[in-house]
Amino acid sequence: MARVFNMARQDVAGYDAYARQIARMFQDRPGVLEDLMDGLFHIARADGVVHEDELAFLHDVATIFGFSDFEFARIRASNTGEAVADPYLVLGVTPDATDQDLKMAYRRAVSENHPDRLIARGVPEEFVTLATEKLAAINTAWEALKQERGIA
């Protein structure tokens, strides 16, 4: 996987072929594909701004990976600081979700993105750092929703 990713990183021409290959390799492991999306967002943010062309590229890769537009919006929100703007999106729920649904979504997001879990999956250290950042966005979203709804 690292070899394919590094080849794609050197030349974005034909990136869709690499993305399709990676999507096939991990079709039964969407968490790994989301980890890769987090890594791509990290690269896009390297200059401090995620440009429209980069967002179009990221959306295209997410589509190839099998993520819906809603899932892409959730991944984008947790990787671009939009967590404060729409905490529901970060947790992957809509504003009409019940408090119980919010709690379940929060717990699921924490479980899926906890750095210890990623270490156990054998991901590179850089991905653990990204997971720590993502977990912070998830916690920020949860705290905002708890305060908004008066959840204890």
Side-chain angles (χ1 to χ4, degrees), residues 29 32 35 111-125 127-128 131:
R29 297 175 63 196
V32 172
D35 292 343
S111 174
E112 291 173 356
N113 293 286
H114 198 281
D116 291 343
R117 185 169 182 163
L118 294 178
I119 291 168
R121 287 195 333 224
V123 301
E125 183 63 34
F127 280 47
V128 175

Side-chain angles (χ1 to χ4, degrees), residues 72-94:
F72 175 73
R74 177 184 53 77
I75 294 167
R76 174 183 172 173
S78 64
N79 278 286
T80 59
E82 296 171 19
V84 175
D86 191 350
Y88 291 98
L89 191 55
V90 173
L91 295 182
V93 296
T94 58

Side-chain angles (χ1 to χ4, degrees), residues 7-50:
M7 290 186 325
R9 189 173 55 171
Q10 291 172 6
D11 181 12
V12 295
Y15 70 88
D16 56 335
Y18 296 115
R20 288 181 206 297
Q21 183 177 359
I22 291 170
R24 280 190 304 274
M25 290 169 57
F26 297 103
Q27 63 187 348
D28 297 329
R29 297 175 63 196
V32 172
L33 294 172
E34 187 166 334
D35 292 343
L36 289 170
M37 288 301 304
D38 292 341
L40 291 173
F41 266 101
H42 181 72
I43 292 166
R45 287 192 337 248
D47 64 357
V49 178
V50 180

Side-chain angles (χ1 to χ4, degrees), residues 19 139 152:
N139 285 327

Side-chain angles (χ1 to χ4, degrees), residues 77-151:
S78 64
N79 278 286
T80 59
E82 296 171 19
V84 175
D86 191 350
Y88 291 98
L89 191 55
V90 173
L91 295 182
V93 296
T94 58
D96 62 349
T98 66
D99 290 353
Q100 186 62 29
D101 290 339
L102 286 177
K103 287 178 186 179
M104 287 174 35
Y106 168 70
R107 289 179 181 139
R108 183 188 70 249
V110 168
S111 174
E112 291 173 356
N113 293 286
H114 198 281
D116 291 343
R117 185 169 182 163
L118 294 178
I119 291 168
R121 287 195 333 224
V123 301
E125 183 63 34
E126 295 84 2
F127 280 47
V128 175
T129 301
L130 295 175
T132 302
E133 292 172 10
K134 193 168 184 176
L135 189 58
I138 290 165
N139 285 327
T140 298
W142 174 239
E143 289 301 320
L145 291 174
K146 281 188 354 185
Q147 184 175 12
E148 175 185 310
R149 290 186 172 210
I151 299 172

